[in-house]
Amino acid sequence: MRDVIVTLLVFLSLPYIFKRPSFGMVMWIWISVMNPHSQGWGFARDFPFAAIIAVVTVAAMVTNAKRTYRLPLTPVTATFLLFVVWMCLTSVFAIHPEQIGTQLVKVLKIMGMTIVVLMLVRKRLHVEWLIWTVVVSIGYYGTKGGIFTIRSGGQYRVWGPIGTFIDGNNEIALALVMTIPLMYYLYGLLTHKWAKRAMVASMFLCALASLASYSRGAAIAMAMMLLFFWLKSNHKAVIGVLLLCCVPFALVFMPEQWHARIDTIDEYQQDESALGRINAWKMAYNLANDRLMGGGFEIYDSEVFERYAPVPEDVHAAHSIYFQVLGEHGWIGLGIYVALGFLTWRTGTWIVRAAGPHAELAWAANLAKMIQVSLLGFMVGGAFLSLVYFDVPYYLMAAMVATRVIVEREKKAPAPQLAEQHTVQGEPNEYLEHDPVR
């Protein structure tokens, strides 16, 4: 039944995507992030829904004579394109060029559709579609996992959907940490009291599910995210009281084995998993020092570890976005990747400063703050996970770029024309139909 529902939703959406390509962005993110077809048990599990949506979306953009879709030219997009080009170059000089084909195609699909998203997100409505889609796609698993944690008393770990970027306990935990700030932004948009209560409950359940993953890296990321979340909040007193009430309750609720697991953070010298990660990090460091372009994709095998790792027989994945880039794409690749994160962050800072004095742009400042909080969680938690190609951070990057373009456009427009700026090349603004202030 699930297979049929997902199939109907996708194929019924195709005519609408062809009419409005921006809706293709929503469907693509939903399929690629949530992977609803992975929850089925039949033909839909392996059906190429994402490819079909991508083809129809791009075809709609190309054949639409009334609109021209352009990639916004900003330091962030230029650095992003440079990163993609550099990954292609490192693939040419990879250690195992005959083995990287599948991973290279997978990464280029993600990066290619990120470029499409950057071209399609052109106004506030599109930005909020993107945020809602990410929240629903990941929040579904967080809400479900939080309820499971309450029912089981936290005795069992929460895992992500099989066959996705976030199928592991560590990965789903980090994804949930990233989603909570986005939920808070959407909470501010809701007007119905029960919708607000449902969003607050979802935030709490997602936090509980993240803790119940037993992920030590996610616990550190959660702590940093909550601290920065409080600093960025416009209601520090209320948020502070809620955190002081909820955090101790969640910690007390978790069973003894959870506390025992988290306590091992201070005992990494005796932890085989931690030692394996450090060995992989040293391998990546040595490889990058030896090869200007790194080793390319698929370097985590006995041959490479024999050459570069201190403990050759202890083969591990990178378990760090930074060492993953370093090993696969060298010091130049790491520099580009770090620069991409820095420029995205600075874009958010610019939005907060530029939009702050303007009441009609308060939404942009609030969104930029919460995306920064979300990305901080990724930057901290990602230090312990191999998630360089996880698509959600790139979608948030696209949302940040689009928000800056919108703020720049509206600040340049004369006051009487602000409303007109919400209409892009003949496409009506749904917000103005219901709320003239927006």
Side-chain angles (χ1 to χ4, degrees):
M1 185 63 180
R2 295 178 182 179
D3 300 83
V4 175
I5 292 174
V6 173
T7 302
L8 287 175
L9 286 174
V10 171
F11 279 93
L12 289 176
S13 73
L14 296 182
Y16 193 62
I17 291 173
F18 204 81
K19 181 180 179 182
R20 300 188 66 182
S22 54
F23 191 67
M25 169 200 69
V26 173
M27 295 300 295
W28 166 266
I29 295 176
W30 176 59
I31 286 292
S32 62
V33 176
M34 185 178 181
N35 281 267
H37 50 297
S38 69
Q39 302 301 296
W41 303 101
F43 68 92
R45 289 182 66 88
D46 301 315
F47 200 81
F49 293 114
I52 293 172
I53 293 170
V55 168
V56 173
T57 301
V58 173
M61 294 170 65
V62 172
T63 59
N64 195 323
K66 295 182 179 179
R67 301 170 190 155
T68 301
Y69 297 92
R70 297 184 178 90
L71 183 68
L73 298 179
T74 70
V76 174
T77 54
T79 306
F80 174 72
L81 292 176
L82 179 61
F83 186 51
V84 175
V85 171
W86 183 255
M87 286 190 292
C88 293
L89 286 176
T90 61
S91 297
V92 174
F93 299 95
I95 292 178
H96 302 303
E98 73 284 354
Q99 299 178 14
I100 68 170
T102 300
Q103 180 67 2
L104 177 61
V105 170
K106 178 180 179 181
V107 171
L108 290 181
K109 285 180 180 178
I110 293 170
M111 300 304 173
M113 284 307 294
T114 300
I115 293 173
V116 171
V117 171
L118 280 163
M119 296 171 70
L120 287 173
V121 181
R122 299 174 298 151
K123 57 183 181 178
R124 178 183 175 181
L125 179 64
H126 298 154
V127 173
E128 293 183 354
W129 277 2
L130 188 157
I131 300 300
W132 268 110
T133 308
V134 170
V135 166
V136 170
S137 298
I138 299 177
Y140 165 79
Y141 296 111
T143 302
K144 180 181 174 183
I147 294 172
F148 169 77
T149 300
I150 293 174
R151 292 180 59 188
S152 65
Q155 298 292 328
Y156 305 100
R157 295 188 183 188
V158 170
W159 299 84
I162 297 175
T164 68
F165 272 113
I166 55 175
D167 57 357
N169 64 311
N170 298 302
E171 289 78 8
I172 185 64
L174 179 57
L176 294 174
V177 168
M178 294 177 62
T179 303
I180 292 171
L182 306 179
M183 288 180 163
Y184 180 74
Y185 168 74
L186 294 178
Y187 169 84
L189 303 182
L190 299 173
T191 56
H192 195 283
K193 65 178 182 179
W194 282 107
K196 285 180 171 287
R197 291 171 182 173
M199 187 63 77
V200 171
S202 297
M203 293 170 66
F204 175 76
L205 290 172
C206 285
L208 198 59
S210 181
L211 292 176
S213 69
Y214 285 63
S215 171
R216 293 166 294 185
I220 297 173
M222 174 80 75
M224 292 297 296
M225 182 274 290
L226 289 176
L227 174 61
F228 202 69
F229 175 76
W230 176 77
L231 290 173
K232 286 287 185 176
S233 171
N234 295 327
H235 308 284
K236 290 184 174 60
V238 175
I239 298 298
V241 171
L242 288 175
L243 291 177
L244 288 175
C245 294
C246 294
V247 171
F249 171 79
L251 295 178
V252 171
F253 176 80
M254 299 307 295
E256 181 60 31
Q257 64 260 33
W258 182 87
H259 291 277
R261 172 71 173 173
I262 300 301
D263 288 342
T264 60
I265 292 176
D266 296 328
E267 304 170 358
Y268 68 91
Q269 297 90 342
Q270 288 78 42
D271 189 307
E272 292 185 5
S273 175
L275 292 177
R277 295 184 182 195
I278 294 174
N279 187 57
W281 297 349
K282 290 181 178 178
M283 181 280 292
Y285 176 82
N286 293 333
L287 191 160
N289 286 337
D290 185 54
R291 297 171 60 94
L292 176 65
M293 294 188 172
F297 301 115
E298 308 297 345
I299 59 174
Y300 309 100
D301 57 31
S302 57
E303 178 184 340
V304 176
F305 272 72
E306 179 69 32
R307 190 185 310 176
Y308 296 109
V311 185
E313 63 275 9
D314 190 8
V315 179
H316 277 73
H319 288 296
S320 169
I321 55 176
Y322 308 109
F323 285 99
Q324 183 181 4
V325 174
L326 179 62
E328 296 179 3
H329 309 297
W331 287 106
I332 296 177
L334 178 61
I336 298 172
Y337 185 70
V338 172
L340 179 61
F342 174 77
L343 291 172
T344 303
W345 184 277
R346 292 297 300 169
T347 297
T349 302
W350 183 92
I351 292 170
V352 173
R353 292 175 179 172
H358 305 275
E360 70 276 7
L361 295 175
W363 69 271
N366 293 335
L367 177 59
K369 290 177 184 178
M370 291 304 104
I371 291 179
Q372 284 184 324
V373 175
S374 179
L375 291 178
L376 177 69
F378 177 73
M379 289 186 286
V380 174
F384 309 100
L385 293 172
S386 304
L387 285 175
V388 171
Y389 314 114
F390 180 37
D391 41 5
V392 169
Y394 297 107
Y395 298 146
L396 296 183
M397 174 199 74
M400 193 79 91
V401 169
T403 302
R404 171 162 185 158
V405 171
I406 293 169
V407 170
E408 288 178 335
R409 184 173 66 232
E410 297 202 354
K411 282 177 65 66
K412 291 178 181 177
Q417 296 182 15
L418 279 177
E420 297 177 7
Q421 291 296 327
H422 290 273
T423 299
V424 182
Q425 297 182 3
E427 187 171 355
N429 177 16
E430 290 81 347
Y431 278 124
L432 293 179
E433 295 176 7
H434 306 289
D435 188 353
V437 175
R438 292 184 177 178

